[in-house]
């Protein structure tokens, strides 16, 4: 089974940038569809972005299109989320997720493996 570890969160001002990283261990990253979800309230975790095993297909939530880019480096077992033009409403705990069966799509919500999350705080 794969273990996921997120890093790169922090506190930034509106308009700033952060790059989140998710390192997988235990299994080869290339076996998994990967993505990012975030939790900002008790409503639960919302889809942010997802990427196919090869990296050829990516999907984004409407509220991050044009600002966030998901990418992966299978040789280094790492998935990234580059976040630009951050807004206060982006404040949340961001979770890395992996699923070997569920193909990425808008609204992707995997039932597989999750990291413990990394906090992103954006101030106005």
């Amino acid at each position: 089974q794969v273990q996921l570890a997120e890093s790169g969160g922090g506190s930034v001002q509106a308009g700033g940038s952060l790059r989140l990283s998710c390192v997988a261990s235990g299994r080869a990253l290339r076996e998994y569809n990967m993505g990012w979800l975030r939790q900002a309230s008790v409503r639960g975790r919302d889809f942010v972005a997802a990427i196919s095993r090869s990296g050829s297909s990516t999907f984004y939530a409407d509220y991050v299109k044009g600002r966030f880019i998901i990418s992966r480096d299978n040789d280094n077992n790492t998935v990234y989320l580059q976040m630009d033009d951050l807004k206060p409403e982006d404040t949340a705990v961001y979770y890395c997720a992996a699923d070997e069966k569920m193909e990425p799509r808008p609204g992707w919500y995997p039932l597989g493996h999750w990291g413990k999350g990394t906090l992103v705080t954006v101030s106005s």
Side-chain angles (χ1 to χ4, degrees):
Q1 294 182 319
V2 67
Q3 292 82 48
L4 304 173
E6 304 97 333
S7 63
S11 181
V12 298
Q13 292 184 329
S17 298
L18 287 172
R19 188 181 73 161
L20 306 184
S21 298
C22 173
V23 178
S25 60
R27 297 285 299 277
L29 186 71
R30 62 180 177 271
E31 299 178 18
Y32 296 90
N33 303 289
M34 301 295 299
W36 294 90
L37 298 93
R38 68 189 188 186
Q39 183 167 0
S41 70
V42 296
R43 68 182 180 180
R45 300 177 186 182
D46 297 322
F47 169 76
V48 176
I51 188 167
S52 61
R53 296 176 186 85
S54 68
S56 62
S57 299
T58 58
F59 300 89
Y60 298 92
D62 287 342
Y63 48 82
V64 304
K65 287 181 179 178
R67 298 190 297 121
F68 292 8
I69 298 175
I70 187 171
S71 62
R72 64 191 297 162
D73 183 351
N74 287 341
D75 290 337
N76 290 296
N77 288 328
T78 304
V79 175
Y80 302 97
L81 184 68
Q82 177 66 44
M83 304 185 293
D84 296 326
D85 191 25
L86 283 162
K87 304 178 183 299
E89 52 264 40
D90 294 319
T91 296
V93 177
Y94 285 71
Y95 297 87
C96 178
D99 198 300
E100 57 269 63
K101 301 293 185 182
M102 186 178 295
E103 299 294 330
R105 63 179 68 84
W108 187 72
Y109 198 101
L111 302 177
H113 310 280
W114 297 77
K116 293 184 177 181
T118 185
L119 177 63
V120 171
T121 302
V122 185
S123 59
S124 60

